[in-house]
Amino acid sequence: MRTDRHFTGLERRIDEAAHRFLAGLPRHRVADSLVEFLVFGLKQAWACLFGGAMLGLILLTRWLWPEGGAGFIARYDFLFLSALVIQLAMLAFKLEAWEEAKVILIFHVVGTVMELFKTHAGSWVYPEENLLRIGGVPLFSGFMYAAVGSYMARINRIFDIRLNRYPPLWTTVVLAGAIYVNFFSHHFVWDMRWLLFAATFALYWRTTMHYRVFRFRHKMPLLVAFLLTSLFIWIAENIGTWSRAWLYPNQHDAWVPVSFGKLGSWYLLMIISVVLVTLVHRPRPYVAQEEPQGVAAGTRKMA
């Protein structure tokens, strides 16, 4: 199995330059911890490149877009065309791997289908008019799901994530399918989300995620990683609704924070995104003997 899939060509050059600089810093416990913290933040920001760019555009157009529209192009259409340009530029300049583009495309389609149903059911609305849309769904909305897929795919290789005691792949596919169906079916029959939460716990409670930051490998329960990622997406959703990119029914008259209950929806969506990524990047266990000696020793020290 390939072990050189961690970086694109550009990322490899950045990584080598960073190693040359950081390797020359003093070595002691506090310095090592600060370096790990700094690199962790930088890698997270790099993994969020597409999503951060989209969120930035949503905020900028909320503040700077002319009242009543720009005349020649609607805000939503501008966001869609900008997202398309960003995606193509990331591929052209090797900021993103083609394997990740597959995940993003799949997640875009999966998200758009759900958007069509949810807007028809009145779960949320897009209050502005635009040209590039399907029914009540502006085409840019699919890129918001694609941003989640982009993050999940990029973080997998940037942090060289390994998963120990990962459940059989077919069981995760069945779970992801059930979660996706429940996003639709709960409008008509009993909402199975609590059963799905239990199934998620049963499948993943033993799974440990091992990830490399700089000098050391760290680990955490995969379920905790799901929760933390869901929390940050929930925060991003609050920013998106504040900017009126989309609105929930209780936000029409005045903005209020997105219900904390939506965190559960994003938590379940994490399962779908992880499963889609594992279909492209099959889960690999962490084996210390496969690491360079310094990294393997760092894992034992920090774990």
Side-chain angles (χ1 to χ4, degrees), residues 64-214:
L64 304 178
W65 204 254
E67 189 71 28
F72 64 94
I73 186 172
R75 179 193 181 199
Y76 290 164
D77 293 337
F78 173 78
L79 289 172
F80 169 73
L81 295 174
S82 297
L84 199 58
V85 169
I86 292 169
Q87 182 64 79
L88 292 174
M90 288 179 67
L91 289 169
F93 291 102
K94 301 187 184 303
L95 301 176
E96 192 165 70
W98 280 102
E99 286 183 334
E100 292 163 6
K102 298 176 188 176
V103 176
I104 291 168
L105 177 60
I106 295 171
F107 220 56
H108 194 293
V109 173
V110 167
T112 299
V113 171
M114 190 162 67
E115 285 283 322
L116 287 167
F117 177 84
K118 289 291 190 178
T119 53
H120 180 74
S123 298
W124 56 80
V125 298
Y126 292 89
E128 301 177 24
E129 295 295 327
N130 76 303
L131 178 64
L132 302 175
R133 65 167 53 216
I134 302 174
V137 180
L139 294 185
F140 92 89
S141 66
F143 280 107
M144 302 310 297
Y145 292 88
V148 177
S150 173
Y151 170 79
M152 298 302 294
R154 288 164 65 80
I155 202 172
N156 181 76
R157 61 179 176 76
I158 291 173
F159 285 91
D160 186 26
I161 290 176
R162 309 295 181 97
L163 299 169
N164 282 358
R165 294 185 295 277
Y166 193 81
L169 197 61
W170 71 268
T171 62
T172 66
V173 171
V174 170
L175 176 62
I179 290 171
Y180 191 64
V181 168
N182 190 66
F183 279 127
F184 298 87
S185 64
H186 80 85
H187 289 273
F188 310 105
V189 296
W190 176 62
D191 188 351
M192 297 188 301
R193 71 175 54 206
W194 290 107
L195 181 61
L196 293 170
F197 285 141
T200 300
F201 181 81
L203 277 182
Y204 291 105
W205 74 274
R206 296 178 65 248
T207 306
T208 303
M209 181 177 74
H210 295 255
Y211 58 98
R212 183 175 68 85
V213 178
F214 176 54

Side-chain angles (χ1 to χ4, degrees), residues 221-251:
L222 187 59
L223 288 173
V224 174
F226 288 163
L227 180 61
L228 292 175
T229 304
S230 303
L231 179 61
F232 281 106
I233 295 176
W234 177 80
I235 292 172
E237 187 178 33
N238 273 282
I239 295 173
T241 55
W242 175 84
S243 72
R244 296 186 66 83
W246 65 92
L247 295 172
Y248 287 102
N250 65 333
Q251 296 175 323

